[in-house]
Amino acid sequence: MKVTGKKSLSTLIEICLKIIFVVGILIYITLPLLLNWYIDIFNPILNYTAALIILYASGIPALIIVYKFIKIFKTLRLDNPFTLENVRHLNVISICSLIIAIEYAIGIFFIVSIFEVILIAVFIIIWLGAYILAELLRKAVEYKEENDLTI
């Protein structure tokens, strides 16, 4: 299966990301109700206010990450991935991942959970990975532009 262009894997992933984005917005809007339901059924000792604050604070950066990935996959679908715009998208993803990791690191003082430790580790890895990928892509764009000028 093709990775870039129309009717490719990137198009399928872009559609999935759009669905995730819409579902994420719906979850963000209904978060107080969903959190109440979760606490009633699964975890009655969870601090509602602390959990709600942490989830609301991390929800916006998470939605921004998904939105930026949609933008990146759109360039893959258009078969033009080596752009400075994608470098900026990866930098924003990196910053948002760091923000989420910091929010959960602060939140661990209010809600002690192994899942928070795992989330912190995952978002630190995403932060570093996105930052490194952004720098690699920046170099690739520079080489591409230099190569386009010599032809």
Side-chain angles (χ1 to χ4, degrees):
M1 180 173 218
K2 286 189 339 180
V3 176
T4 62
K6 293 181 179 166
K7 294 184 180 180
S8 65
L9 183 60
S10 62
T11 304
L12 177 65
I13 294 172
E14 183 184 359
I15 292 168
C16 291
L17 285 170
K18 287 178 181 178
I19 293 168
I20 290 169
F21 186 73
V22 171
V23 170
I25 290 172
L26 292 174
I27 289 171
Y28 194 80
I29 291 169
T30 60
L31 192 57
L33 298 172
L34 292 173
L35 188 58
N36 264 334
W37 173 79
Y38 174 79
I39 288 173
D40 288 345
I41 294 177
F42 297 108
N43 194 353
I45 61 170
L46 183 65
N47 182 341
Y48 174 81
T49 306
L52 190 64
I53 290 170
I54 292 167
L55 290 172
Y56 265 131
S58 63
I60 295 293
L63 287 172
I64 291 171
I65 289 171
V66 174
Y67 179 73
K68 292 299 180 178
F69 271 121
I70 290 169
K71 293 290 191 181
I72 289 172
F73 278 94
K74 181 180 180 183
T75 63
L76 285 172
R77 181 175 41 88
L78 298 174
D79 215 8
N80 187 24
F82 295 105
T83 63
L84 286 177
E85 191 66 29
N86 280 348
V87 173
R88 286 189 282 277
H89 293 319
L90 283 170
N91 281 328
V92 170
I93 290 169
S94 173
I95 291 166
C96 287
S97 298
L98 178 61
I99 290 169
I100 293 172
I102 291 170
E103 289 170 350
Y104 278 98
I106 293 169
I108 204 161
F109 294 108
F110 303 101
I111 303 169
V112 180
S113 169
I114 189 67
F115 297 114
E116 285 205 32
V117 175
I118 293 168
L119 281 173
I120 292 166
V122 166
F123 280 104
I124 287 175
I125 291 168
I126 294 171
W127 164 54
L128 292 171
Y131 178 76
I132 291 168
L133 284 174
E135 291 305 311
L136 288 172
L137 186 58
R138 182 185 320 279
K139 281 292 188 190
V141 169
E142 287 175 10
Y143 291 142
K144 179 184 174 282
E145 289 175 353
E146 186 178 301
N147 190 27
D148 289 345
L149 291 175
T150 58
I151 292 178

